[in-house]
């Protein structure tokens, strides 16, 4: 039987809304190979692993690392990492501290703009896990500052808006090094979302490859068919393996469905080509 893959998903260990075990049970049995890739944390993996074993699917331990490159935030997925690796954990810990500092600044800026208690609200929603803009967005939504997550992001949380504070993220080379130290494969997430020119994208791919990066997310939850074809070609050209993932954050977002993705375009070498996956 053909295996279905979803190699980019979030749980409540970061800004997803489902607990890791709920995510796994929702994914199975439609998906046979699921990666949990929370933002700058591996805290959900143990629970997801246990649930995957119960559900009879493969769980790929993963992470989505926030980096700064070319004046933008670029997300790098680590797939097949050892979550116990101390080099990786030290790096992720640093980013979570930076997330906390950024959250304090976001809270202050929102307060200056007439929205009190946002830090406490976001922290209550994150329940001590990797704190991010998604938690502020949910808080703002609950307080009636917009009708959808997209709207509160647009009004308050994106660059140029009152609640935007840039993150102190990892360098691209650091993220790749942490992932490799933990035995994983580094993959550039959702390349269509950075708004880079072709030339800048080319530079990113070349630098990433030279640093030891291995893959490109050719199919991502939100990307168009023509974009997927273009990224498939570029992956081939740069010797990058192709990955696919929905970037699922929970059932509230109708645009991103768990595992509902077309097959990789023809001619791609899948990132899982040498993974030891017994049929499930
Ligand atoms: P952070 O890593 O804390 O800066 O938050 C980034 C996350 O915010 C992304 O992974 C998405 O889940 C979410 N996000 C970013 N921009 C938007 C947007 N315009 N609409 C909805 N969610 C967004
Ligand atoms: Mn997210
Ligand atoms: Mn991302
Ligand atoms: Mn993601």
């Amino acid at each position: 039987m053909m295996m279905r893959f979803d190699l980019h998903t979030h749980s409540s260990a970061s800004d997803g809304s489902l607990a890791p075990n709920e995510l796994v049970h929702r994914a199975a049995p439609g998906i046979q190979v699921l990666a949990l890739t929370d933002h700058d944390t591996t805290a959900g993996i143990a629970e997801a692993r246990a649930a995957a074993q119960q559900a009879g699917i493969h769980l790929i331990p993963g992470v989505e690392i926030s980096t700064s490159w070319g004046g933008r935030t670029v997300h790098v997925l680590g797939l097949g990492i050892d979550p116990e690796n101390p080099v990786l954990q030290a790096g992720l810990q640093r980013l979570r501290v930076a997330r906390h500092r950024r959250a304090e600044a976001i809270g202050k800026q929102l307060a200056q703009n007439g929205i009190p208690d946002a830090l406490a609200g976001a922290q209550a929603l994150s329940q001590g896990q990797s704190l991010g803009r998604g938690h502020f967005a949910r808080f703002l939504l609950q307080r009636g500052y917009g009708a959808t997550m997209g709207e509160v992001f647009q009004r308050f949380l994106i660059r140029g808006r009152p609640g935007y504070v840039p993150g102190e993220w990892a360098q691209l080379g650091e993220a790749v090094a942490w992932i490799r130290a933990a035995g994983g494969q580094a993959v550039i997430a959702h390349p269509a979302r950075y708004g880079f020119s072709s030339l800048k994208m080319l530079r990113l791919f070349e630098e990433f490859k030279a640093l030891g990066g291995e893959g490109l997310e050719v199919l991502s939850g939100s990307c168009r068919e023509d974009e997927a074809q273009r990224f498939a070609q570029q992956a081939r050209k740069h010797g990058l393996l192709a990955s696919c993932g929905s970037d699922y954050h929970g059932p509230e977002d109708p645009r991103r469905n768990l595992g509902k993705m077309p097959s990789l375009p023809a001619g791609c070498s899948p990132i899982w080509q040498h993974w030891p996956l017994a049929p499930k």
Side-chain angles (χ1 to χ4, degrees), residues 172-249:
L172 188 66
E174 290 179 309
V176 174
W178 301 341
I179 290 165
R180 287 165 65 88
Q185 292 171 291
V187 174
I188 295 173
H190 43 62
R193 254 188 262 163
Y194 305 122
F196 289 155
S197 66
S198 323
L199 186 64
K200 199 156 172 189
M201 198 73 97
L202 190 90
R203 280 188 39 227
L204 173 62
F205 295 159
E206 282 177 351
E207 194 174 323
F208 182 68
K209 178 86 184 166
L211 290 165
E214 292 180 56
L216 180 66
E217 197 171 57
V218 161
L219 280 181
S220 113
S222 47
C223 89
R224 299 190 315 259
E225 168 72 25
D226 59 313
E227 290 171 332
Q229 292 293 345
R230 186 157 53 88
F231 290 126
Q233 268 177 15
Q234 290 174 349
R236 267 203 304 276
K237 192 167 137 203
H238 293 276
L240 291 167
L241 301 169
S243 189
C244 71
S246 62
D247 203 5
Y248 184 76
H249 280 71

Side-chain angles (χ1 to χ4, degrees), residues 6-24 26-27 34-41 44 48 62-66 75-77 99 130 135 138 189-190 193 217 245-253 256 258:
D6 190 332
L7 301 180
H8 185 164
T9 66
H10 296 273
S11 75
S12 54
S14 65
D15 58 0
S17 62
L18 299 178
N21 80 86
E22 293 172 324
L23 174 76
V24 168
R26 194 174 269 257
L34 177 74
L36 178 63
T37 54
D38 276 309
H39 297 286
D40 305 320
T41 181
V63 66
E64 181 172 18
I65 301 184
S66 313
H75 284 172
V76 177
L77 299 166
R99 283 183 169 278
S130 187
H135 302 108
R138 250 181 255 157
H190 43 62
R193 254 188 262 163
E217 197 171 57
S246 62
D247 203 5
Y248 184 76
H249 280 71
E252 311 78 18
D253 182 354
R256 293 186 212 158
L258 201 49

Side-chain angles (χ1 to χ4, degrees), residues 50-272:
Q53 197 158 19
Q54 215 179 36
I57 68 171
H58 294 279
L59 191 279
I60 306 299
V63 66
E64 181 172 18
I65 301 184
S66 313
T67 77
S68 298
W69 187 89
R72 287 290 158 89
T73 299
V74 168
H75 284 172
V76 177
L77 299 166
L79 297 178
I81 45 142
D82 168 12
E84 309 296 323
N85 181 272
V87 172
L88 175 66
Q89 285 307 336
L92 298 182
Q93 173 65 23
R94 189 184 101 199
L95 297 187
R96 291 195 299 273
V97 170
R99 283 183 169 278
H100 196 269
R101 266 201 301 273
R102 181 186 65 155
E104 288 175 339
I106 293 175
K108 272 194 196 133
Q109 287 188 194
L110 288 174
Q112 283 161 5
N113 284 273
I115 302 175
D117 307 326
L119 177 61
Q123 272 175 322
L125 290 166
S126 79
Q127 298 183 327
Q129 307 281 6
S130 187
L131 181 58
R133 282 185 293 164
H135 302 108
F136 282 94
R138 250 181 255 157
F139 165 81
L140 291 166
L141 204 55
Q142 285 177 1
R143 290 287 165 101
Y145 288 102
T148 63
M149 289 286 276
E151 191 186 330
V152 290
F153 261 97
Q154 295 290 330
R155 285 179 67 182
F156 299 103
L157 297 170
I158 61 170
R159 190 193 290 261
R161 293 301 182 174
Y164 180 78
V165 177
E168 302 157 63
W169 304 136
Q171 290 172 24
L172 188 66
E174 290 179 309
V176 174
W178 301 341
I179 290 165
R180 287 165 65 88
Q185 292 171 291
V187 174
I188 295 173
H190 43 62
R193 254 188 262 163
Y194 305 122
F196 289 155
S197 66
S198 323
L199 186 64
K200 199 156 172 189
M201 198 73 97
L202 190 90
R203 280 188 39 227
L204 173 62
F205 295 159
E206 282 177 351
E207 194 174 323
F208 182 68
K209 178 86 184 166
L211 290 165
E214 292 180 56
L216 180 66
E217 197 171 57
V218 161
L219 280 181
S220 113
S222 47
C223 89
R224 299 190 315 259
E225 168 72 25
D226 59 313
E227 290 171 332
Q229 292 293 345
R230 186 157 53 88
F231 290 126
Q233 268 177 15
Q234 290 174 349
R236 267 203 304 276
K237 192 167 137 203
H238 293 276
L240 291 167
L241 301 169
S243 189
C244 71
S246 62
D247 203 5
Y248 184 76
H249 280 71
E252 311 78 18
D253 182 354
R255 291 167 310 165
R256 293 186 212 158
N257 276 319
L258 201 49
K260 290 274 165 52
M261 265 170 313
S263 310
L264 285 177
C268 285
S269 304
I271 188 90
W272 56 84

